[in-house]
Amino acid sequence: MIGASGTVRRSVRRGWHLVPLSALQAGAMMALLSGAAVFALPVSEVRAQSATDTIQGIAVQGSQRIEPATVRTYVTVREGDPFDPSRIDQSLKNLFGTGLFADVSITRGENNVLVIRVVENPIINRISLEGNDKIKDEDLTKEMQLRPRVVYTRNKVQQDVEKILELYRRKGRFAARVDPKVIELPQNRVDVVFEISEGSPTYVRTINFVGNDSFDDDELRGVVLTREERWWRFLTSNDTYDPDRMNYDRELLRRHYVQNGYADFEVISAVAELAPNRENFYMTFTVKEGPRYRLNKVDLEVAIKDLPRDILEKAVIPQSGDWFNGKAIEDTIDAITDAAGTAGYAFVDINPRVRRNEADKTIDLTFQVQEGPRVFIERVDVKGNVRTLDRVIRREMRLVEGDAFNTARVRRSRERLENLGFFKRETVKIDNAPSDVYPDRTILTATVEEQPTGELSFGVGYSSASGALFDVGVQERNLLGKGQSLGANFSLAQQQMQVNLSFTEPYFLDRRLVAGFDLVASQVDYQSQAGFTSNTLGGTGRVGFQYNEYLFQRFNYQLFVTKLTGLSSFSSQFVREQAGSAVTSQVSQVIGYDRRDNVIDPHNGYYLTLSTDLAGLGGSERYVRGGVGGALYLEPLDGWIFSAAASGTYIVGLGQEVKIYQRSQMGGVTLRGFKDYGASPRDAATFDAVGGDWMATASFQLRVPGLPKESGLKTYLFNDWGVIGPPKDLKRRPGISILDSQKVRGSAGIGVEWTSPVGVITVDYSPFIFNAQPFDQKSRFRINFGQRY
């Protein structure tokens, strides 16, 4: 037996005896015996024995919860074995290694009985976290090892303390402190309390760059994700230090330089120094820019027989004379892969070969297209989803088990997952790894991180269209993790009141059918625009399906009862004739083609829609209406997003006049710079807007970068144009004079959009208004606040 003050040695004359150890040797031996245990070992001894001595029995003392038989299973000696010090020492190590005991001693008792005395570690009754406000209990406990009803050890407590501190460091709180305390209870139980002092956030005071000549510090600070501390960044955490974010910043710097011709760029070091007061970090990136290269020759080598070269050449983005651009090369690889896949060649391998010409600082670039290995999907795994069901994610995947691997479909699958809005966009990843069994198989893993999809909102605000408003609503976009959407909303404003309930099932009957319904009750005051108040009650049933990835069609049936009230002798004669209730029974369809990269915040792509409405299958209204619309989005430079949108609509009454609320109205949302209905045809007698039979509008907008991304602010320049046709049935009636003009009106100005905690706030200012008519109502300043879109 090995004790705290000696070790077992063999003596020829006297058998086994104890020899004193030095302090250093004793410490090393104790560490060896205890492993990671914190408690000190007791002094134990093994009496000297003769070669014929054997163990006559094994007795276990001190065990309470743990059965003696369980203790004996960790002992390497048995009854009848000799008293072997090395085997007894190993038994002692085994018992301490279980983590079940605070103290263990092994001695030789009377009648050659081996006595094992143990002191059990207590059982944890409860774990408490105190003082944590910035991180929730559940977020901390899921990272901790200790749990109620498990064995308590000091080693695990210390590991959990480090885990908690690491979580706070990732939140930018390096001044956090954790003090664990143990409260002893009867029956060898304990309560463990972690007292947390969160401290103040540790902000990044400055970000410095060394070795940069081509881009100044301010430009590079705009490239990295980490931001310097500023008062307006109270809605973001990017101004706190995060080591993972700093590593990402290194990659962002590399991408930035490589996209601008610096093919040899590298980040030499990235250092974050913590101030002595532990309140601020000072970050320094040391870079080596290297020379800037232009492209000399850009070539394409196709080694696949029968694959048309001309199809692939159209996909090559870089051109001779351009600056070297790593992103353009990556985009070209994707484009060539897509083009080859469209041509029926799913297995291609594109290798960009780069040859530097140091003398003239140019690069010869060759895209080598070869037949790649035939790889098929073995299985698709899903990770990171907690609430969302696996099938909701899998049905967005464009690849399933057994399909040929295709990078274009992988990319499209990622886009579809991002468009769901259930997951943080930057966390959606689809990786592939080779199979462990089959060399021609790969395993796809879709990794997501969920974000809140429920919304309970209370808001007050102001809208140029509705005046002061109060809004309360509840919405869940991922109901029960099934991908369904359910929402209810009530809004009360100076000029309108509305209650609505909506439900959408994106995969009706487990098919690619979008089905749902909407129930609406509203009252809208148009007194200032057209001299009436509209009261509407009804609902809509809808179903839609996808022909392919981009082509869709939807059908709606609407049944509404609309009543015009608030009429007076000052209202237009045309409006007074429509007093009372009307029933609208309308069947609609819309067919669209959507190639936007993101439906929520598009940067590139386009969409086209064609719609038709037919009223008259029941109800009291009879008309047919057609519409067309579309938009184009381009990002010629990083952060500069140009959009061009256009729409047109035409309505014809079927044997009766069209109601005023069915006609087109121009101004406000449809044409900035004018009030709602401000550019519509008007009754000359009352000046009330009566609307037009047709309308066409176009809008051009350029989003301008410059404001910090984390602020949620977006600035843009806009230019709107519109033209509206007169109501022909009214023009033909005697006694009614219509003020109208088919001249194209326009406006130009600047706008700001802020995604605030209470909703989207937009402010538009139109200093330039073109071709306004004398009867038009202009509004250069327009604001919407507190409304959800």
Side-chain angles (χ1 to χ4, degrees):
M1 174 63 194
I2 300 176
S5 60
T7 185
V8 179
R9 294 279 182 88
R10 176 87 180 190
S11 171
V12 177
R13 292 190 306 166
R14 300 184 59 186
W16 301 98
H17 66 281
L18 294 177
V19 177
L21 288 175
S22 68
L24 182 60
Q25 290 173 322
M29 189 62 69
M30 290 296 294
L32 177 64
L33 287 176
S34 62
V38 178
F39 303 107
L41 292 177
V43 177
S44 304
E45 63 181 54
V46 177
R47 296 176 182 173
Q49 62 175 50
S50 66
T52 59
D53 287 343
T54 58
I55 299 173
Q56 300 301 313
I58 300 176
V60 178
Q61 300 177 359
S63 60
Q64 298 177 3
R65 300 182 313 274
I66 303 170
E67 294 293 333
T70 302
V71 177
R72 293 189 185 98
T73 61
Y74 295 102
V75 178
T76 60
V77 293
R78 299 290 182 266
E79 292 184 14
D81 290 348
F83 283 91
D84 186 347
S86 62
R87 294 173 64 186
I88 293 175
D89 289 343
Q90 185 60 47
S91 301
L92 192 67
K93 296 176 184 177
N94 293 345
L95 290 170
F96 270 111
T98 63
L100 299 173
F101 308 106
D103 193 10
V104 180
S105 65
I106 301 178
T107 59
R108 179 175 179 174
E110 296 181 357
N111 301 321
N112 288 340
V113 174
L114 190 69
V115 180
I116 304 174
R117 295 184 178 87
V118 297
V119 177
E120 295 180 355
N121 275 324
I123 291 293
I124 297 175
N125 176 62
R126 185 169 60 94
I127 296 176
S128 298
L129 298 168
E130 298 180 356
N132 55 308
D133 294 326
K134 303 302 180 181
I135 303 180
K136 297 179 180 179
D137 284 6
E138 54 266 26
D139 294 331
L140 292 173
T141 54
K142 69 182 180 182
E143 299 291 334
M144 297 167 58
Q145 299 183 62
L146 293 179
R147 296 283 187 275
R149 296 182 297 278
V150 302
V151 176
Y152 166 90
T153 66
R154 292 186 180 182
N155 186 40
K156 289 182 178 180
V157 170
Q158 190 58 39
Q159 290 177 5
D160 284 348
V161 168
E162 291 300 323
K163 279 284 186 182
I164 294 172
L165 290 175
E166 178 62 24
L167 289 175
Y168 274 98
R169 292 187 188 110
R170 293 186 180 276
K171 289 286 186 179
R173 293 180 177 269
F174 282 75
R177 296 288 183 270
V178 180
D179 184 17
K181 293 188 177 180
V182 178
I183 302 175
E184 295 185 359
L185 301 174
Q187 300 178 351
N188 199 24
R189 296 175 302 128
V190 294
D191 285 345
V192 181
V193 179
F194 292 91
E195 294 182 352
I196 301 172
S197 174
E198 295 183 319
S200 301
T202 312
Y203 293 104
V204 176
R205 178 64 64 185
T206 61
I207 302 176
N208 300 312
F209 298 89
V210 177
N212 54 310
D213 295 323
S214 302
F215 300 95
D216 60 31
D217 286 10
D218 287 339
E219 290 179 280
L220 296 182
R221 290 188 188 106
V223 172
V224 298
L225 184 60
T226 304
R227 293 289 183 262
E228 294 180 342
E229 179 192 7
R230 295 294 184 270
W231 66 268
W232 62 80
R233 295 194 170 112
F234 60 93
L235 293 177
T236 180
S237 61
N238 287 344
D239 56 352
T240 58
Y241 172 70
D242 185 339
D244 291 337
R245 191 191 303 127
M246 186 173 68
N247 289 332
Y248 183 57
D249 289 337
R250 295 173 65 119
E251 175 61 18
L252 291 177
L253 288 171
R254 188 197 66 81
R255 293 180 188 176
H256 174 72
Y257 271 91
V258 171
Q259 289 176 18
N260 287 277
Y262 296 88
D264 298 331
F265 172 82
E266 60 179 319
V267 179
I268 303 299
S269 66
V271 179
E273 297 179 281
L274 181 61
N277 59 6
R278 304 181 68 86
E279 293 182 357
N280 296 290
F281 270 97
Y282 299 87
M283 294 177 59
T284 303
F285 294 91
T286 303
V287 302
K288 180 181 178 182
E289 293 181 334
R292 192 180 189 190
Y293 293 90
R294 283 190 182 273
L295 293 178
N296 181 35
K297 296 179 181 179
V298 179
D299 197 7
L300 181 68
E301 295 180 358
V302 182
I304 302 177
K305 186 179 180 181
D306 299 329
L307 179 57
R309 177 188 175 92
D310 57 339
I311 295 178
L312 303 185
E313 287 178 341
K314 297 178 181 178
V316 178
I317 299 173
Q319 300 296 322
S320 178
D322 293 347
W323 290 111
F324 177 84
N325 188 329
K327 185 176 186 301
I329 294 176
E330 294 175 0
D331 293 342
T332 298
I333 293 174
D334 292 338
I336 293 176
T337 303
D338 292 349
T342 304
Y345 294 83
F347 305 99
V348 294
D349 185 19
I350 297 99
N351 179 33
R353 187 179 65 196
V354 175
R355 186 172 66 87
R356 290 173 174 81
N357 304 312
E358 299 293 344
D360 56 359
K361 299 298 184 290
T362 61
I363 286 179
D364 294 334
L365 177 62
T366 303
F367 292 96
Q368 297 175 320
V369 182
Q370 302 172 344
E371 187 171 0
R374 295 181 175 270
V375 179
F376 298 88
I377 307 299
E378 178 179 330
R379 70 175 189 269
V380 179
D381 295 334
V382 178
K383 294 183 179 180
N385 54 313
V386 179
R387 292 182 59 248
T388 307
L389 302 181
D390 278 9
R391 62 182 175 88
V392 173
I393 297 175
R394 291 180 181 276
R395 67 195 184 192
E396 302 299 329
M397 300 290 290
R398 301 298 91 187
L399 290 168
V400 297
E401 287 80 357
D403 285 353
F405 179 79
N406 187 299
T407 56
R409 291 190 176 185
V410 171
R411 184 171 59 257
R412 179 57 181 162
S413 299
R414 186 183 68 250
E415 291 175 353
R416 291 177 64 91
L417 290 176
E418 291 174 351
N419 288 337
L420 287 175
F422 303 162
F423 316 109
K424 297 179 180 179
R425 184 176 180 181
E426 65 275 10
T427 67
V428 177
K429 297 188 298 182
I430 300 180
D431 302 314
N432 64 290
S435 170
D436 296 332
V437 181
Y438 305 101
D440 62 341
R441 303 291 176 88
T442 187
I443 300 172
L444 286 185
T445 302
T447 305
V448 298
E449 182 179 340
E450 293 178 329
Q451 64 182 2
T453 56
E455 177 183 4
L456 176 62
S457 64
F458 299 89
V460 294
Y462 178 82
S463 166
S464 297
S466 305
L469 62 88
F470 168 76
D471 181 87
V472 57
V474 59
Q475 183 180 17
E476 174 54 63
R477 293 180 286 107
N478 188 14
L479 186 65
L480 302 177
K482 297 180 180 180
Q484 300 167 337
S485 176
L486 177 65
N489 179 257
F490 169 74
S491 62
L492 178 64
Q494 287 178 296
Q495 298 183 29
Q496 75 174 39
M497 183 273 291
Q498 179 173 300
V499 179
N500 69 277
L501 175 70
S502 64
F503 174 79
T504 301
E505 167 56 69
Y507 277 78
F508 185 59
L509 300 177
D510 288 330
R511 299 179 181 272
R512 297 179 64 182
L513 295 173
V514 180
F517 65 84
D518 303 281
L519 302 176
V520 178
S522 67
Q523 182 182 77
V524 184
D525 184 355
Y526 295 108
Q527 293 292 338
S528 62
Q529 296 96 346
F532 69 91
T533 298
S534 172
N535 299 273
T536 303
L537 177 64
T540 301
R542 42 192 164 78
V543 62
F545 56 90
Q546 298 277 148
Y547 289 104
N548 55 38
E549 279 296 302
Y550 310 105
L551 184 63
F552 64 89
Q553 189 167 22
R554 300 191 181 108
F555 296 91
N556 299 338
Y557 174 71
Q558 297 179 341
L559 182 62
F560 284 96
V561 178
T562 304
K563 183 178 182 180
L564 300 187
T565 60
L567 303 175
S568 68
S569 58
F570 299 102
S571 300
S572 169
Q573 177 185 339
F574 167 64
V575 178
R576 293 200 306 269
E577 292 174 354
Q578 298 184 359
S581 299
V583 178
T584 305
S585 176
Q586 175 182 296
V587 177
S588 307
Q589 76 81 34
V590 58
I591 186 169
Y593 189 73
D594 193 345
R595 292 301 301 263
R596 289 175 293 180
D597 59 348
N598 188 279
V599 297
I600 299 174
D601 184 21
H603 288 205
N604 289 284
Y606 63 92
Y607 75 87
L608 299 169
T609 60
L610 177 66
S611 63
T612 52
D613 304 328
L614 175 63
L617 303 177
S620 58
E621 294 193 61
R622 304 284 188 274
Y623 61 82
V624 61
R625 176 168 48 207
V628 63
L632 172 68
Y633 299 89
L634 298 172
E635 189 174 13
L637 298 173
D638 187 31
W640 296 76
I641 302 173
F642 171 77
S643 64
S647 64
T649 182
Y650 197 106
I651 189 169
V652 176
L654 300 178
Q656 61 178 232
E657 291 182 353
V658 178
K659 300 291 186 181
I660 183 173
Y661 48 81
Q662 301 291 0
R663 295 187 184 277
S664 298
Q665 303 286 354
M666 191 165 73
V669 175
T670 56
L671 184 62
R672 285 168 286 195
F674 295 82
K675 291 184 178 181
D676 293 290
Y677 292 29
S680 296
R682 298 183 178 277
D683 186 331
T686 64
F687 214 58
D688 289 334
V690 294
D693 288 346
W694 58 268
M695 181 176 70
T697 61
S699 178
F700 305 93
Q701 189 162 293
L702 178 65
R703 187 191 299 179
V704 181
L707 295 175
K709 292 181 180 180
E710 68 272 16
S711 67
L713 290 168
K714 301 173 184 177
T715 58
Y716 51 85
L717 304 174
F718 65 84
N719 179 208
D720 294 350
W721 297 94
V723 59
I724 188 168
K728 292 183 178 180
D729 50 358
L730 296 184
K731 294 276 287 187
R732 291 192 293 262
R733 291 177 54 180
I736 297 181
S737 177
I738 302 298
L739 300 174
D740 72 286
S741 173
Q742 297 184 34
K743 288 188 176 181
V744 178
R745 281 91 149 180
S747 65
I750 187 171
V752 177
E753 177 184 299
W754 181 33
T755 305
S756 73
V758 297
V760 177
I761 300 174
T762 58
V763 180
D764 294 317
Y765 177 61
S766 308
F768 306 103
I769 298 177
F770 312 109
N771 292 336
Q773 301 304 298
F775 54 85
D776 289 342
Q777 296 180 352
K778 294 179 286 187
S779 177
R780 298 184 185 275
F781 187 76
R782 181 178 180 85
I783 182 172
N784 287 283
F785 174 78
Q787 286 186 301
R788 293 174 297 156
Y789 296 90

